[in-house]
Amino acid sequence: MEHVQQLLNQYGLVLNDFAPNNEMLALMPSTLRSSISFANVTINREEVVLIDTAAELNEDHLIQLIQLLKNVPLPIIFLADSFSIDTQILLTKNQFGFISQMGFYLPSLKPVKITKPTMQLISLSKNQQIIILALIYWKLLHDDDSNTFHIKVRQLADYLNITAMTISRALRTFVDAGWLSTSGYTRNHSFAIPAGYDLNSWMNDILRLLPSPVQKTLYIPVNELDNITNRKLANLTALSKFTLIAPTTLVSWAIPSNQLTDDLKKVDIPEFNARLAPKNNVAIEIWKYDSQVFNRLIPKNYQLAVDPVSLFLSLRNSHTKEVTEQLNKLLENLVNQH
């Protein structure tokens, strides 16, 4: 039943009841029984017979099944991962509905109008912000077009070097806040984009709730860079690498907060002085987390700088129209890789 509901969720269809119909199955030829199952279900408050067809059911047997059922006076819907164009035409000619990963046809049912749930603003820890950004990257760059995330907690833990327990707790927080939906709270349950959202609308609403990763900015002599090994290009310096924004004379770098040392604090100079001699100084942004944590999730061409979504968060409050436009372009280019 769970995989049926997940498939229906993609189209805003609500499954209320599910009862196996072994009586109808018993009437089928033995050559078909092992590849199909019947169930009496209620979808969007309408009672129908659902026929779940396995991948082993070949085209000839499916046509045979359609011929056997075309005079049955009950609303029937076929379910499968995919149907050929010829099969879809045959089903529609006989007024049978079908639902698959590629689309659906329901002669009498109409999707229930789903109102997008309200996402709550929550105070995010460093790891929680990393986890939600990783889910965005996974869905954009590695997953399919469904709302379900096809990644296990332990797999995500391996990518991020964060414990599975910490990730499970974060997912539960996201579910409680309306950021995700799930079939349960344990590691073995799937989680998904909530009903009412597609990928783009979900991502945009999530980004509105996420804070900038930048905690503060220092200005130091350029020769002090040699003492900082864990750094990435940041701010407009980074944006200029991916868009039409011109780089600033004063180069900006980002380092995670755990790299901020007393020695760096001692060489910090006023911003005004740094901008008077931009070739002799650099800006160092102190970040809440290390952007390198996403290196296994994003393309290599993005890895010379901080990750693009975090860069968007760090610059989105800029009042320059050109910067805002190019930030949107940065995200559009990332989405287009999906």
Side-chain angles (χ1 to χ4, degrees), residues 134-172:
L135 291 178
I136 290 174
Y137 284 127
W138 180 261
K139 207 60 184 155
L140 282 177
L141 302 171
H142 302 279
D143 216 340
D144 60 21
D145 292 325
S146 71
N147 272 15
T148 301
F149 289 88
H150 299 96
I151 185 171
K152 301 296 184 184
V153 169
R154 291 195 178 279
Q155 186 181 1
L156 193 58
D158 178 60
Y159 277 121
L160 302 177
N161 196 26
I162 296 174
T163 67
M165 184 176 294
T166 298
I167 292 176
S168 293
R169 284 198 302 263
L171 294 176
R172 179 167 185 166

Side-chain angles (χ1 to χ4, degrees), residues 115-309:
T115 304
K116 290 196 301 184
T118 301
M119 292 186 183
Q120 299 175 23
L121 178 64
I122 54 179
S123 178
L124 293 172
S125 68
K126 176 186 73 174
N127 283 338
Q128 286 173 333
Q129 186 152 347
I130 289 172
I131 291 164
I132 196 65
L133 289 180
L135 291 178
I136 290 174
Y137 284 127
W138 180 261
K139 207 60 184 155
L140 282 177
L141 302 171
H142 302 279
D143 216 340
D144 60 21
D145 292 325
S146 71
N147 272 15
T148 301
F149 289 88
H150 299 96
I151 185 171
K152 301 296 184 184
V153 169
R154 291 195 178 279
Q155 186 181 1
L156 193 58
D158 178 60
Y159 277 121
L160 302 177
N161 196 26
I162 296 174
T163 67
M165 184 176 294
T166 298
I167 292 176
S168 293
R169 284 198 302 263
L171 294 176
R172 179 167 185 166
T173 298
F174 298 152
V175 170
D176 290 343
W179 294 22
L180 295 174
S181 61
T182 185
S183 58
Y185 286 141
T186 70
R187 299 177 193 171
N188 295 325
H189 286 75
S190 63
F191 46 97
I193 294 170
Y197 288 93
D198 59 18
L199 175 58
N200 285 341
S201 62
W202 173 78
M203 184 177 75
N204 288 333
D205 277 14
I206 289 290
L207 292 182
R208 291 190 191 102
L209 299 173
L210 297 181
S212 168
V214 182
Q215 296 178 322
K216 63 179 178 178
T217 304
L218 305 180
Y219 299 89
I220 65 172
V222 68
N223 56 14
E224 294 291 335
L225 273 180
D226 293 337
N227 300 322
I228 306 173
T229 56
N230 187 4
R231 66 179 191 265
K232 284 199 171 189
L233 294 174
N235 208 285
L236 297 182
T237 307
L239 189 60
S240 69
K241 300 297 182 182
F242 308 112
T243 67
L244 299 177
I245 287 290
T248 56
T249 310
L250 184 70
V251 176
S252 294
W253 296 89
I255 65 172
S257 57
N258 61 9
Q259 298 293 305
L260 177 58
T261 64
D262 290 337
D263 289 338
L264 277 180
K265 294 177 184 178
K266 289 176 182 177
V267 296
D268 183 27
I269 63 176
E271 179 181 357
F272 179 78
N273 293 352
R275 295 193 181 279
L276 281 178
K279 293 186 178 181
N280 298 328
N281 302 291
V282 292
I284 300 293
E285 293 182 351
I286 310 303
W287 275 40
K288 182 178 181 179
Y289 51 83
D290 187 352
S291 177
Q292 297 197 58
V293 72
F294 305 115
N295 282 359
R296 293 177 64 187
L297 293 170
I298 62 177
K300 288 187 177 180
N301 61 300
Y302 282 104
Q303 295 180 18
L304 75 163
V306 294
D307 70 280
V309 176

Side-chain angles (χ1 to χ4, degrees), residues 54-88:
E56 299 80 37
L57 186 69
N58 62 42
E59 200 80 5
D60 290 338
H61 284 162
L62 183 57
I63 292 172
Q64 180 188 4
L65 179 61
I66 292 170
Q67 295 298 327
L68 288 170
L69 296 172
K70 67 179 182 179
N71 294 319
V72 174
L74 295 170
I76 291 177
I77 295 175
F78 283 75
L79 185 77
D81 288 339
S82 63
F83 292 109
S84 70
I85 297 298
D86 290 340
T87 301
Q88 292 180 37

